[in-house]
Amino acid sequence: MHIQLNGEALDLPDGLSVADLLERLELTGKRVAVELNLDIVPRSQHAATRLGEGDRIEVVHAIGGG
Amino acid sequence: MTQSSRTDKPLVLAGRTYHSRLLVGTGKYKDLDETRLAIEASGAEIVTVAVRRTNIGQNPGEPNLLDVISPDKYTILPNTAGCYDAVEAVRTCRLARELLDGHKLVKLEVLADQKTLFPNVIETLKAAETLVKDGFDVMVYTSDDPIIARQLAEIGCIAVMPLAGLIGTGLGICNPYNLRIILEEAKVPVLVDAGVGTASDAAIAMELGCEAVLMNSAIAHAQNPIVMAEAMKHAIVAGRLAYLAGRMPKKLYASASSPLEGLIR
């Protein structure tokens, strides 16, 4: 399936969950937040939330700012 | 007990009490070590952070800002800097709330223009309404327009944060008269956010009666950020005490400090 991750196109095997994606990105256990098609995916729902064709995902973290 | 704690009430924001009236940003530092040392020297208890896309595949082992500035030790104030409309700002706040495990306190900042980083007050008002309805405690960056400041307080923002000068300019308190009008009719805490360049600017903001000051560049872009952070800590305390003490009236002519009686002739 084709998704958009942080604005970049990405090909992934079908049926992955948000948790699977974070594991592929080596972000498991890191303090990140996930938005899927403009809705927040709470951390508790990462494993249960499946990704689908055309999904737009944002993965964010905190950095220095004023 | 210090004099200040005898005469002053602590700063209360969203039901939480703070002893420091200095809020600091975490941007523009050389590295995370300098960030940590400067923030420690500032004595700040509330620290702003930005929310940005994770760099996928880059430096996965890199230390995270929140490992250095721990949410257990500091009140983290995620900001929406870099957002140019209400929709982006609201999305950013929702991501921040998820990032910080349901933490409701946010700094709303919707910008209008890259050259001035002046706030877009129309989009700011829209975002504030949505965020307040959504249960956020909104501290809002705005222009020094007293009418907009009043409207933001009426919407339900918990603090109004007018700029003293443009972000990152260090020009100081450019329009103290507008700030005075905002302060005079304030129903919620007013903080100066942006424009402070050095310690005297911070003291002036506090002498005007601001509840606190938020700054980033004035510390991070000082020649020695850690020493400037400490200077700012003292300036905030000095300015606050001077405000509480009430300054002497200004006079045109001299008034001798030593008695006029008993002079030798």
Side-chain angles (χ1 to χ4, degrees), chain B residues 86 89-90 108 110 121-136 138-140 151-153 155-157:
Chain B
V90 170
L108 173 63
V110 188
V121 293
I122 295 163
E123 292 296 311
T124 301
L125 286 161
K126 275 194 230 168
E129 276 195 45
T130 305
L131 291 168
V132 169
K133 279 190 195 136
D134 201 4
F136 283 94
V138 180
M139 300 177 69
V140 59
Q151 287 176 351
L152 287 164
I155 284 170
C157 294

Side-chain angles (χ1 to χ4, degrees), chain B:
Chain B
M1 191 184 275
T2 63
Q3 187 64 33
S4 60
S5 59
R6 265 206 298 274
T7 52
D8 202 1
K9 295 183 296 248
L11 172 65
V12 179
L13 291 169
R16 207 163 149 181
T17 298
Y18 299 95
H19 300 288
S20 170
R21 291 177 179 273
L22 174 57
L23 287 70
V24 295
T26 51
K28 302 178 172 174
Y29 286 99
K30 189 176 68 186
D31 52 35
L32 284 178
D33 219 34
E34 189 182 70
T35 311
R36 178 180 60 80
L37 291 169
I39 288 165
E40 282 172 7
S42 77
E45 296 164 285
I46 304 175
V47 175
T48 67
V49 302
V51 176
R52 290 290 181 273
R53 283 173 164 169
T54 302
N55 292 325
I56 303 300
Q58 287 174 23
N59 317 317
E62 195 176 78
N64 188 309
L65 176 67
L66 295 180
D67 297 335
V68 178
I69 308 299
S70 164
D72 299 330
K73 192 170 166 196
Y74 296 98
T75 294
I76 305 297
L77 181 60
N79 76 21
T80 64
C83 292
Y84 283 82
D85 62 45
V87 172
E88 278 175 22
V90 170
R91 278 175 71 194
T92 302
C93 287
R94 288 179 177 150
L95 280 162
R97 181 167 61 183
E98 165 63 13
L99 191 64
L100 294 164
D101 309 313
H103 171 90
K104 295 187 299 175
L105 188 69
V106 289
K107 171 182 160 182
L108 173 63
E109 170 176 333
V110 188
L111 303 173
D113 171 84
Q114 289 194 356
K115 191 171 178 184
T116 63
L117 298 179
F118 216 72
N120 180 332
V121 293
I122 295 163
E123 292 296 311
T124 301
L125 286 161
K126 275 194 230 168
E129 276 195 45
T130 305
L131 291 168
V132 169
K133 279 190 195 136
D134 201 4
F136 283 94
D137 293 325
V138 180
M139 300 177 69
V140 59
Y141 169 67
T142 183
S143 64
D144 62 5
D145 178 335
I147 308 307
I148 300 296
R150 183 200 297 158
Q151 287 176 351
L152 287 164
E154 282 168 359
I155 284 170
C157 294
I158 64 138
V160 174
M161 307 198 292
L163 52 80
L166 298 183
I167 293 173
T169 59
L171 285 173
I173 314 294
C174 294
N175 191 341
Y177 305 104
N178 274 23
L179 290 179
R180 274 175 59 185
I181 296 170
I182 293 172
L183 285 159
E184 226 167 78
E185 63 164 53
K187 303 265 194 310
V188 297
V190 173
L191 287 75
V192 153
D193 180 1
V196 166
T198 188
S200 53
D201 298 333
I204 291 168
M206 294 308 291
E207 286 172 16
L208 286 169
C210 292
E211 286 280 337
V213 177
L214 199 168
M215 65 179 75
N216 191 150
S217 307
I219 297 175
H221 278 179
Q223 302 298 309
N224 186 328
I226 297 155
V227 175
M228 185 58 90
E230 192 177 347
M232 291 298 185
K233 175 170 80 176
H234 294 298
I236 294 286
V237 171
R240 179 68 182 176
L241 285 174
Y243 166 72
L244 293 171
R247 61 154 299 144
M248 64 163 283
K250 290 184 182 179
K251 293 181 209 157
L252 187 57
Y253 291 105
S255 160
S257 296
S258 305
L260 298 176
E261 298 78 35
L263 286 163
I264 54 161
R265 294 288 179 202

